[in-house]
Amino acid sequence: MKNLSVAQSQSPGSDSDGMDRVYDQRIIVPNTAMVIADNFEKKEQSWSVSSQIPTDLTIQVQEVTFKVHKYLLLSKCGYIGHLELQPSISHLGYELKLENFPGGSETFEIILKYCYDLPLDLNPSNIAPLRCASEFLEMSEEFEDGNLISKTEAFLSFILLSSWKDTITILKSCENLSPWAENLQIVRRCCDSIARKASTENSSTGDAVNEEGWWYNDVTTLRIDHFMRITTAIRAKGTKPQVIGQSIMHYAVRWLPGLDMDLEGLRGYGHGKNELQFSILSGKKQDEGVGHTKEQKTIIESLVSVLPPQQDAVSCKFLLKMLKMAMVYCVSPALISELEKRAGMTLANAKVNDLLLPNYESEDQRKTTKLVKEGTVHNVDAVQRILDYFLIHQQEKQQMNSISAKSIVAKLLDNYLAEIARDPNLAVSKFQVLAESLPENSRTCDDGLYRAIDTYLKVSIHVAINFYYIDCCLTSLKLLQTHPLLSDHERKRLCKIMNCKRLSLDACMHAAQMRGCQ
């Protein structure tokens, strides 16, 4: 069609301005009539054009039906020409259904207006859908000079080399354009452009703030797979691990509801286990769908996989929060082990509330548990493993400040023991093993350990007395079996954990008063 020449053209003074315009676009039309688009009408799920020539092609995209002129699309879209069009039921033309059309009916409407030679409004929101759709329809130079593929490609290149915010907008619009946006390298080019601008210390994009971390908020709006690609590209450009770690923490806070919730521990017997277990689950509600749960799980696994290996890239507090979420969403054991190991490496920077990991069981785990028993509120086993990783890390590194770090962790552990000691379901063996985990020289004072042991003994006695009272009322021995009174041997074994020579005067006086009250 491009090689055909027009037999007669209108003079500059011709009344047929529309015909001059069509000739300029090199579209050959029948001699008997001329297509003039008076206006476009859209009623509910139907789109049509008013013109001097009746439409002869009906195209359905998603739920919208478009009534158009076949030869106008044939002049620009190679895809239409390859198809064997089926006559319509009404015998008034042909009909076609476009499955999986990139960008949907809104994008197809813009392309139709372009085919009718109306002004084309290219912007960051529609450029990616139009680029993919033009590729789908094969709108190449073979059919028209400056066809839609070349127009959209030129506009994309211009945007990607200039504006930061427009590139973010383009990448977000690609989320529903798979696999076209991937195959056309739009996603890759956007990610590379964003990474290049974010890793530049003094950004010159014109619409970005020239300070470290200025790009966090924009990047955290992206889908997780796009965020990962940008993070990987930024790291490859030599960006500091702490900067990458901060961006990961920003993303986690935005996409993982409940991450910032802290467990305050048991404030006395009777604080329900479920209340503590689910206090971090503001984003994981009972009516939450499987799809959302799977999405959260994918986000957790993806963020952990791109964490910089450097020890100071993210805080221990963040690692322990991620560990809580990982347990709640039942991610792989290998990933949980990785989080525990990394938390152990930075355990000296943790606080007590950070270690209060809920002893959460998934619905599947509860169904497969044959023996119904009351467990502990807190996941003591996980803390034990974190502590073991801390000791291994200290031994491997042989750091000069290892004694100082062990002393800090010893205080942390004593405070943690005092918290979990309030749990009447905590076995004495677990309490003892955790208390004895650190080397003898880790503590300079055993007051914290004394407080934890004293709390544990008081809780066990208090619960046992209550159980005796209930048993007398109900004449049943079942409750006595739930938490029996500690034997003298167990009480002495607990007390031997302490070194009485390392107790302060106040602790010794308190111990003497308690002994006198017994």
Side-chain angles (χ1 to χ4, degrees):
M1 187 176 294
K2 282 176 58 178
N3 296 329
L4 296 177
S5 60
V6 179
Q8 182 179 358
S9 62
Q10 298 293 323
S11 64
S14 170
D15 294 333
S16 181
D17 295 334
M19 187 176 293
D20 283 339
R21 178 166 55 83
V22 174
Y23 282 158
D24 291 340
Q25 294 295 325
R26 297 188 183 183
I27 296 176
I28 305 302
V29 298
N31 294 327
T32 57
M34 187 65 217
V35 176
I36 299 177
D38 296 331
N39 56 47
F40 298 95
E41 297 179 356
K42 186 174 181 180
K43 296 181 180 179
E44 297 181 355
Q45 302 300 317
S46 179
W47 188 96
S48 60
V49 56
S50 299
S51 93
Q52 297 177 358
I53 298 178
T55 58
D56 56 355
L57 177 60
T58 300
I59 301 178
Q60 182 178 347
V61 180
Q62 293 176 325
E63 302 300 324
V64 182
T65 300
F66 298 87
K67 297 179 181 180
V68 297
H69 298 90
K70 180 180 66 175
Y71 67 87
L72 276 180
L73 270 69
L74 288 174
S75 67
K76 301 192 181 196
C77 306
Y79 178 79
I80 304 296
H82 298 159
L83 299 176
E84 294 183 4
L85 300 177
Q86 300 297 322
S88 64
I89 299 176
S90 61
H91 303 290
L92 296 177
Y94 298 90
E95 59 183 15
L96 171 64
K97 184 175 183 180
L98 297 179
E99 300 282 359
N100 302 318
F101 186 78
S105 58
E106 293 182 0
T107 301
F108 189 73
E109 181 178 339
I110 298 175
I111 288 180
L112 282 182
K113 292 179 178 179
Y114 168 76
C115 291
Y116 279 95
D117 205 24
L118 291 178
L120 183 63
D121 178 22
L122 297 179
N123 58 66
S125 297
N126 67 23
I127 188 63
L130 285 173
R131 176 65 184 91
C132 296
S134 64
E135 191 73 24
F136 181 99
L137 294 172
E138 301 177 20
M139 303 178 72
S140 64
E141 300 290 303
E142 179 182 353
F143 300 94
E144 181 186 62
D145 288 336
N147 208 351
L148 194 55
I149 287 180
S150 61
K151 280 184 170 64
T152 52
E153 188 61 40
F155 190 81
L156 260 176
S157 301
F158 171 76
I159 288 293
L160 294 178
L161 292 174
S162 57
S163 173
W164 162 270
K165 288 190 176 297
D166 288 346
T167 307
I168 293 287
T169 301
I170 294 172
L171 186 54
K172 284 186 67 66
S173 71
C174 292
E175 294 179 356
N176 298 318
L177 295 174
S178 298
W180 290 93
E182 287 285 354
N183 296 337
L184 294 173
Q185 303 294 315
I186 300 176
V187 173
R188 181 192 61 78
R189 287 182 287 172
C190 284
C191 291
D192 289 346
S193 175
I194 292 170
R196 184 174 61 254
K197 293 180 177 69
S199 59
T200 303
E201 292 185 2
N202 295 314
S203 174
S204 58
T205 57
D207 54 357
V209 180
N210 296 329
E211 60 183 24
E212 190 176 89
W214 57 268
W215 46 274
Y216 291 163
N217 290 336
D218 289 332
V219 172
T220 54
T221 63
L222 300 172
R223 201 172 64 185
I224 182 62
D225 55 331
H226 295 164
F227 175 79
M228 287 181 63
R229 292 175 65 166
I230 291 172
T231 301
T232 302
I234 292 176
R235 182 192 298 179
K237 296 182 182 297
T239 304
K240 291 185 293 185
Q242 294 81 1
V243 174
I244 298 175
Q246 284 292 326
S247 69
I248 293 174
M249 288 190 283
H250 273 72
Y251 194 93
V253 170
R254 182 185 182 97
W255 291 95
L256 297 175
L259 186 70
D260 278 342
M261 299 289 289
D262 285 326
L263 300 184
E264 297 297 336
L266 287 168
R267 300 306 177 194
Y269 180 56
H271 194 147
K273 175 182 176 182
N274 288 338
E275 294 176 32
L276 274 176
Q277 275 192 352
F278 296 101
S279 65
I280 66 167
L281 304 182
S282 61
K284 192 178 192 302
K285 301 175 183 178
Q286 294 297 326
D287 57 350
E288 203 173 72
V290 176
H292 184 268
T293 300
K294 185 177 180 180
E295 179 186 3
Q296 300 293 299
K297 182 178 178 180
T298 300
I299 291 175
I300 295 169
E301 293 174 341
S302 300
L303 292 180
V304 175
S305 68
V306 295
L307 281 174
Q310 288 78 5
Q311 182 175 330
D312 58 346
V314 292
S315 65
C316 184
K317 185 182 185 70
F318 173 74
L319 291 170
L320 290 170
K321 285 183 175 182
M322 288 293 288
L323 181 57
K324 293 175 186 177
M325 301 298 289
M327 291 174 174
V328 167
Y329 287 96
C330 303
V331 302
S332 66
L335 187 140
I336 289 180
S337 178
E338 174 67 18
L339 284 170
E340 290 174 348
K341 186 180 299 184
R342 293 189 61 127
M345 293 169 61
T346 57
L347 187 58
N349 299 320
K351 304 296 182 183
V352 175
N353 280 353
D354 301 334
L355 288 176
L356 297 180
L357 306 172
N359 197 14
Y360 175 76
E361 290 182 349
S362 67
E363 189 66 28
D364 293 337
Q365 289 172 328
R366 286 193 292 271
K367 289 179 180 178
T368 56
T369 303
K370 295 182 180 179
L371 180 60
V372 179
K373 60 180 181 179
E374 191 70 20
T376 57
V377 172
H378 301 295
N379 195 330
V380 180
D381 294 334
V383 175
Q384 179 70 65
R385 291 191 296 269
I386 293 172
L387 192 58
D388 292 340
Y389 284 128
F390 166 77
L391 295 173
I392 293 172
H393 177 68
Q394 292 293 310
Q395 185 176 2
E396 289 177 350
K397 295 298 182 180
Q398 295 182 349
Q399 298 172 341
M400 296 297 294
N401 62 341
S402 60
I403 296 178
S404 175
K406 289 178 181 177
S407 177
I408 295 173
V409 171
K411 293 180 180 179
L412 174 67
L413 178 60
D414 292 345
N415 291 330
Y416 175 75
L417 288 169
E419 283 290 343
I420 65 173
R422 296 183 174 92
D423 187 350
N425 296 312
L426 178 61
V428 63
S429 58
K430 287 192 175 184
F431 183 90
Q432 182 177 353
V433 169
L434 195 59
E436 293 178 333
S437 296
L438 294 176
E440 180 70 19
N441 63 350
S442 300
R443 296 180 177 89
T444 57
C445 178
D446 279 12
D447 281 13
L449 190 56
Y450 167 77
R451 180 169 64 92
I453 294 174
D454 180 60
T455 302
Y456 186 84
L457 293 175
K458 287 179 179 178
V459 168
S460 65
I461 294 174
H462 174 71
V463 172
I465 291 173
N466 285 339
F467 284 161
Y468 276 126
Y469 174 76
I470 295 173
D471 180 60
C472 292
C473 296
L474 302 178
T475 63
S476 171
L477 296 176
K478 291 182 179 179
L479 289 175
L480 283 173
Q481 296 171 358
T482 304
H483 195 295
L485 183 65
L486 292 177
S487 65
D488 289 339
H489 173 71
E490 290 172 325
R491 291 164 62 88
K492 290 178 181 179
R493 193 173 64 183
L494 276 181
C495 293
K496 284 183 179 180
I497 300 174
M498 295 180 295
N499 186 342
C500 296
K501 296 180 180 179
R502 290 204 297 253
L503 291 177
S504 66
L505 179 60
D506 290 340
C508 290
M509 292 179 62
H510 183 271
Q513 291 175 356
M514 295 302 298
R515 183 175 180 84
C517 294
Q518 292 179 354

